[in-house]
Amino acid sequence: MQRYLLSRLVQSFLLLLGVLIVVFFMIRLTGDPVSLMVPKEAPAEVREAFREANGFNRPLYAQFFEYLLNAFQLDLGHSLKFRQSNLSIIMERLPSTVYLATISLFLAIVIAVPIGIIGGFNPGSAADTVGRAFGLFGQTIPGFVFALYLILIFAVRLGWLPSFGRDFWYSVILPATALSIGGIGQFVRLTRSAVLEIRNEDYIRTARSKGLSKMAIGARHVARNAALALISVVTVQYSYMLGGSIYIESIFAWPGLGNLLQGAIVDRDFPLIQALAIVFSFFVVTLNLLTDVIYAVIDPRIRYGS
Amino acid sequence: MLRKSIVVIFLLAAGLLLIACQPQTVEVTRVVTETVTETVTEEVAVEVTRVVTETDTEQVEVTRVVEVDAPAKAEGELVVAITTFPNAITPPNAAERQAGNVTAQIFSGLVWIEDDNSISPALAESWELSDDGKEYTLHLRQGVTFHNGETFDAQDVVTTWEAGKDPKNAYAYVYEEADSVTVVDDYTVKITTPEPDPLFLRSLAAWGVYPTDYYNEVGFEGFEAHPISTGPFKFVEWVKGDKIVLEAFEDYWEEGLPKVARLVFRPIPESATRLAAVQTGEIHIATRFVKEEADQVFGNSDVRVISYANDRSYYIAFNNLSSGIGQPTEDVRVRQAMNYAVDRQAIVDALFDGQATLSSGFVSPFNMGFDPAIEPYPYDPDKARELLAEAGYPDGFQIGFACPIGAYPNFEQVCEALSGYLADVGITLDGGEIQFMESGQYWDLEANKELPPMFGDAWSVTNGEALDRLQGALLAEASYAAWEDADLRALIEEAGSTIDPDARAAVYGEIHQYMYDNPPFIYLYYPNVFEVVNSAVQNYKPRAAEDYYLKEVFLANSK
């Protein structure tokens, strides 16, 4: 177990390193930030001074090694635009993103799992058909289209909910709904098929022949085994919600990291984009690691290493 | 089973659409003005949501709409959407227009630029200029207080200059245009410039004043976090990525202003959301829309659409400094021919629904010295062929042409259309196509003068004079210049050193004519921009550079 964890840690670390390298070189292929950050009318000396102050005049490899060295000391550099440490900007915005992603995940589970369970226990029924259609709808509709519809209907047409921002406790409802719709679709389908499969397992038949009630079987055997199948997609979905909420946050002007990243890309704020990419990949890697650990702990059938 | 699912999905989607597109009865209110206000009000019952609108915009100008009396004192909360996350809200650091618009409500400048671009007194009540044109003596207004209660005096102007030219500021070089700023007495300062600079007095409008004691106490970082000046609104809080809150300053030096008690700026990058939020009344003023978006709300009586020409000149530049050396475009007849060859009006009609003003030069209709007698080049392909033949290219020629991607609305299509018109008169492109480039890479090449001999771009000015873009694009030493013309240089330098406004206007007139006869560009257009404001907003008037001052804006409280 320990050896397994250690090897997973090393793998995760290498993955992060790969991300650092890719991000650094990819962004620099797209052009010089001086042209974007310095006003067009500025004299040539101002342009040079800016280049020098930010180290853009040094060879690429030198810039890269300094960037790596700093990253290991948790120094993610300074934003060109905001002239603040990237980490402090990110920490300001992080809570909003975590809040939105967590509510969305919660919403997705609460809505999708019951639908999936009902469908799984009653395949072919009317409820199952509606549930499956709903799941298919969730998985296929693009989140940003759904988001705009939500705004049009619930903010503009009905006037029930705010169209943007995070001013009230209920401001989160529309963005969380938009962000969770993809997850709902996935969870419904997965829960349904897991339940369907488990229902036909031998140990369920055994339990039934023992005379256990339907409820007891459902709660103790089916639900627990189905949960196992769900964990991996839930964590993947959560990391997607944390990092993949760029367009949802932009549409709802949600004061989080996705919105920040969108702005940073428009402004070609290299250091900030790098820092955000690192933070997002950190989420993904950490959640993957966590998934593996959870499996190792809760599923007695899984044994790793020795 | 699958078929059943599809039916249900279809029903779900149809339901969504039905709710989103319910027919409604609406009142159409649209304000179109040609220097006078003209309000078109009609009752229309609409079956579908889109309302066809008039597109009469030869010379669109925005006027203030005032339907009710202004309140006696500041009241209500005005919410304004901005499209970016400001990097800073101090004058030497606010990097773009949206941040600058927040800054403009907090700070007061030494002089004030009127809507018609004339200069009038602000914190400086009067001024004199020495005979050599290098020394300004400013007499300052007395009895002005800062938001923190400090009294404004001559020392604060010195502090403003010193703080402004701190190299940590993005716009330090603007303050470096002054050589020295010295206190003469409590309410008089002397400012010197190294050379006579006709735009200098104008630039003092952007010197938002800093309070000496406060700045010395909190320093650069502290001031950035909580700016204090003498403007109509004082800073309350800035929740990063969410909102900037200002409050009416009760001791503001202009009696009876401002008219709203609270002013909130909300960054909303997505235009569809801004459009929704202004319809729901969550925000009052939303900017930067395209025609198609503005069309969606025509007919909604809760909002008003404002459109005006933006002083951003679009053009296709020629190069005679690097890639263009030895090219046919060095011949003035060829450049004239290319201006005749393009049907600007057709391009503007097709791509901007006619919502743009055609360009006749780099001195725009919104600039000092513009000569209205100079009409944009007409579309005349025969004349173009004739000129090409005269220049020795009866069968045309081949030339390299580049355009940026994603930088300006519809610009890729404009370049495509333009290359089609050029092909009609025999001018084809190197490699058979336009070299499209992502904008970041494009600006790099442009700054290094490495673009092909023909390239598209746009240049805006914000101070009502064309000088900045003339110097920036047409003096070889400037970063983005690709063209050099000795006669034109002489004229630009003359404009840059003529202090007397009338004399300078005359020089601009000459430049306009010279650049028409000897075009360094293919001139294109000035596109209109669209804003949507809540009907309750009164006395709001954005300017051609998309800047606005909200001290006189108020809300009709019927809403």
Side-chain angles (χ1 to χ4, degrees):
Chain A
M1 181 78 176
Q2 263 177 359
R3 253 180 64 193
Y4 169 73
L5 275 184
L6 201 69
S7 83
R8 289 291 289 121
L9 265 175
V10 172
Q11 277 173 25
S12 303
F13 175 79
L14 289 176
L15 203 59
L16 275 176
L17 192 70
V19 169
L20 286 172
I21 294 169
V22 170
V23 166
F24 180 88
F25 289 102
M26 285 283 277
I27 295 175
R28 271 167 178 74
L29 288 179
T30 66
D32 183 350
V34 178
S35 312
L36 273 164
M37 302 301 295
V38 178
K40 238 178 164 180
E41 288 83 3
E45 307 88 72
V46 174
R47 297 171 62 82
E48 277 321 302
F50 180 87
R51 198 183 297 279
E52 197 147 319
N54 290 288
F56 296 136
N57 55 341
R58 292 180 307 145
L60 211 54
Y61 67 87
Q63 292 182 45
F64 178 65
F65 282 114
E66 190 189 307
Y67 151 81
L68 267 194
L69 211 67
N70 287 337
F72 287 125
Q73 299 165 33
L74 285 183
D75 174 0
L76 298 181
H78 277 68
S79 155
L80 295 179
K81 181 179 177 186
F82 299 102
R83 292 158 189 244
Q84 261 186 67
S85 112
N86 287 324
L87 204 59
S88 74
I89 300 172
I90 290 171
M91 293 318 282
E92 269 170 14
R93 305 285 196 96
L94 183 65
S96 285
T97 291
V98 172
Y99 174 70
L100 176 59
T102 309
I103 299 266
S104 303
L105 186 73
F106 180 74
L107 206 63
I109 294 173
V110 165
I111 292 175
V113 171
I115 296 178
I117 290 177
I118 290 169
F121 274 115
N122 311 286
S125 67
D128 183 38
T129 307
V130 172
R132 287 186 48 175
F134 184 63
L136 201 60
F137 172 79
Q139 258 195 316
T140 49
I141 189 166
F144 60 92
V145 172
F146 189 59
L148 289 173
Y149 269 120
L150 288 177
I151 293 178
L152 272 179
I153 294 165
F154 293 101
V156 178
R157 185 70 61 194
L158 300 171
W160 291 350
L161 292 165
S163 57
F164 75 101
R166 196 193 159 177
D167 296 353
F168 314 99
W169 67 264
Y170 49 85
S171 291
V172 75
I173 295 175
L174 290 186
T177 307
L179 189 55
S180 60
I181 190 73
I184 289 177
Q186 199 185 14
F187 294 171
V188 166
R189 291 160 62 87
L190 200 95
T191 312
R192 181 180 177 279
S193 59
V195 169
L196 211 54
E197 203 176 299
I198 293 161
R199 249 164 45 103
N200 297 327
E201 293 284 346
D202 292 343
Y203 57 84
I204 300 294
R205 210 178 30 223
T206 312
R208 205 177 295 150
S209 62
K210 263 195 333 196
L212 283 183
S213 74
K214 214 173 173 183
M215 277 309 275
I217 296 170
R220 201 169 313 151
H221 297 286
V222 181
R224 281 170 73 172
N225 281 291
L228 222 50
L230 259 180
I231 285 171
S232 62
V233 280
V234 164
T235 50
V236 166
Q237 192 59 236
Y238 190 51
S239 63
Y240 164 78
M241 283 166 172
L242 284 167
S245 56
I246 297 172
Y247 52 84
I248 298 293
E249 285 194 4
S250 301
I251 288 175
F252 289 98
W254 187 260
L257 292 179
N259 208 347
L260 183 69
L261 177 60
Q262 193 264 351
I265 292 171
V266 171
D267 295 324
R268 199 162 283 109
D269 192 341
F270 287 173
L272 186 54
I273 299 172
Q274 277 169 2
L276 281 163
I278 293 165
V279 168
F280 285 138
S281 47
F282 180 76
F283 289 152
V284 175
V285 171
T286 313
L287 282 166
N288 278 342
L289 192 63
L290 198 70
T291 315
D292 292 341
V293 173
I294 291 174
Y295 272 124
V297 171
I298 65 168
D299 190 344
R301 287 170 301 186
I302 300 174
R303 284 284 172 269
Y304 300 94
S306 56
Chain B
M1 184 79 122
L2 185 64
R3 198 181 306 158
K4 263 201 248 169
S5 306
I6 289 170
V7 170
V8 177
I9 290 179
F10 184 75
L11 286 176
L12 268 172
L16 276 177
L17 272 172
L18 263 181
I19 306 175
C21 313
Q22 271 169 18
Q24 50 178 348
T25 306
V26 287
E27 183 191 352
V28 179
T29 310
R30 179 157 189 246
V31 184
V32 178
T33 53
E34 287 140 46
T35 57
V36 289
T37 324
E38 174 200 339
T39 311
V40 191
T41 311
E42 40 183 317
E43 289 270 313
V44 188
V46 204
E47 288 287 325
V48 199
T49 39
R50 193 168 180 284
V51 182
V52 181
T53 57
E54 69 273 44
T55 52
D56 177 19
T57 48
E58 278 300 289
Q59 181 81 60
V60 182
E61 246 184 66
V62 201
T63 43
R64 298 168 186 279
V65 175
V66 183
E67 294 149 336
V68 297
D69 290 337
K73 61 179 187 56
E75 60 183 37
E77 180 179 274
L78 179 70
V79 186
V80 181
I82 49 180
T83 60
T84 61
F85 304 107
N87 65 321
I89 50 172
T90 56
N93 248 330
E96 31 77 33
R97 173 55 58 211
Q98 307 281 316
N101 278 336
V102 179
T103 308
Q105 322 307 327
I106 304 173
F107 287 80
S108 328
L110 291 169
V111 299
W112 169 255
I113 310 291
E114 299 286 350
D115 284 353
D116 66 2
N117 273 319
S118 62
I119 300 175
S120 61
L123 292 184
E125 276 184 316
S126 62
W127 49 85
E128 293 108 41
L129 179 58
S130 65
D131 291 338
D132 66 359
K134 294 198 255 185
E135 189 182 277
Y136 293 80
T137 307
L138 307 182
H139 303 283
L140 304 176
R141 191 176 293 274
Q142 302 192 14
V144 175
T145 48
F146 283 99
H147 300 154
N148 63 348
E150 265 183 67
T151 305
F152 168 72
D153 63 22
Q155 183 55 43
D156 297 319
V157 179
V158 178
T159 304
T160 302
W161 175 63
E162 282 172 348
K165 66 192 179 75
D166 184 323
K168 288 202 282 283
N169 289 315
Y171 286 81
Y173 70 92
V174 171
Y175 295 80
E176 280 161 1
E177 284 169 4
D179 253 353
S180 70
V181 179
T182 44
V183 174
V184 177
D185 63 41
D186 275 1
Y187 292 97
T188 312
V189 286
K190 251 193 204 351
I191 305 180
T192 60
T193 59
E195 296 298 330
D197 180 351
L199 294 188
F200 184 74
L201 188 62
R202 197 173 277 282
S203 72
L204 291 181
W207 283 35
V209 293
Y210 279 39
T212 307
D213 292 346
Y214 176 71
Y215 187 73
N216 290 342
E217 183 194 321
V218 301
F220 181 87
E221 306 288 336
F223 195 80
E224 290 289 316
H226 190 136
I228 281 181
S229 185
T230 61
F233 293 94
K234 60 183 181 189
F235 177 85
V236 177
E237 67 165 339
W238 182 359
V239 184
K240 294 283 167 68
D242 191 28
K243 62 185 164 195
I244 298 169
V245 182
L246 311 180
E247 204 175 77
F249 175 42
E250 58 278 16
D251 294 324
Y252 180 58
W253 58 273
E254 282 185 280
E255 207 56 39
L257 298 178
K259 295 288 188 193
V260 289
R262 248 167 95 86
L263 177 56
V264 182
F265 289 94
R266 306 296 306 258
I268 308 180
E270 174 59 45
S271 62
T273 311
R274 288 199 296 281
L275 196 62
V278 75
Q279 287 176 270
T280 62
E282 290 164 274
I283 56 175
H284 295 107
I285 297 175
T287 61
R288 296 221 170 143
F289 293 109
V290 294
K291 174 80 166 51
E292 290 76 12
E293 290 167 319
D295 277 354
Q296 292 172 25
V297 294
F298 282 140
N300 183 338
S301 61
D302 295 336
V303 296
R304 197 161 57 225
V305 173
I306 293 175
S307 75
Y308 56 96
N310 181 214
D311 192 356
R312 182 181 277 280
S313 180
Y314 284 76
Y315 58 91
I316 306 297
F318 297 113
N319 176 308
N320 71 354
L321 293 176
S322 50
S323 58
I325 296 173
Q327 293 282 346
T329 47
E330 285 198 304
D331 188 319
V332 62
R333 289 167 297 191
V334 171
R335 301 197 305 275
Q336 286 170 347
M338 290 166 88
N339 269 290
Y340 280 116
V342 178
D343 191 347
R344 295 166 185 73
Q345 190 62 53
I347 292 180
V348 160
D349 285 345
L351 293 172
F352 297 92
D353 221 349
Q355 299 284 321
T357 306
L358 301 190
S359 167
S360 63
F362 226 27
V363 178
S364 78
F366 328 101
N367 292 161
M368 175 192 259
F370 172 78
D371 182 354
I374 301 175
E375 297 269 340
Y377 272 90
Y379 174 52
D380 190 345
D382 294 332
K383 175 102 182 181
R385 285 187 200 98
E386 204 176 291
L387 281 164
L388 284 173
E390 229 176 88
Y393 303 99
D395 302 321
F397 56 88
Q398 213 174 43
I399 192 163
F401 179 29
C403 277
I405 296 172
Y408 307 117
N410 298 337
F411 200 57
E412 296 90 326
Q413 292 90 321
V414 170
C415 290
E416 298 272 12
L418 187 118
S419 69
Y421 282 115
L422 293 181
D424 282 350
V425 297
I427 301 170
T428 53
L429 303 182
D430 278 351
E433 57 184 13
I434 304 168
Q435 301 171 41
F436 283 113
M437 278 172 241
E438 198 276 326
S439 57
Q441 184 196 3
Y442 193 82
W443 310 144
D444 281 359
L445 294 179
E446 190 176 347
N448 292 329
K449 308 196 197 311
E450 286 167 4
L451 283 177
M454 245 175 81
F455 61 92
D457 205 349
W459 204 304
S460 68
V461 288
T462 55
N463 55 15
E465 294 197 27
L467 190 60
D468 284 341
R469 65 176 157 220
L470 288 166
Q471 290 174 333
L474 294 162
L475 298 183
E477 65 274 20
S479 302
Y480 288 90
W483 191 259
E484 173 69 22
D485 175 329
D487 296 333
L488 187 53
R489 167 182 290 271
L491 283 169
I492 294 172
E493 283 173 352
E494 190 183 340
S497 57
T498 306
I499 304 290
D500 177 61
D502 292 336
R504 197 159 73 250
V507 180
Y508 283 130
E510 278 180 64
I511 293 176
H512 191 186
Q513 183 66 52
Y514 184 88
M515 284 182 68
Y516 184 85
D517 297 334
N518 303 277
F521 306 135
I522 300 174
Y523 302 114
L524 297 174
Y525 50 81
Y526 303 90
N528 289 347
V529 292
F530 291 83
E531 302 192 359
V532 180
V533 302
N534 189 290
S535 308
V537 175
Q538 308 284 305
N539 211 6
Y540 168 70
K541 183 180 186 302
R543 297 177 176 184
E546 296 185 85
D547 49 342
Y548 49 74
Y549 300 85
L550 302 172
K551 61 187 179 186
E552 287 173 300
V553 172
F554 60 97
L555 295 165
N557 40 16
S558 58
K559 290 280 154 189

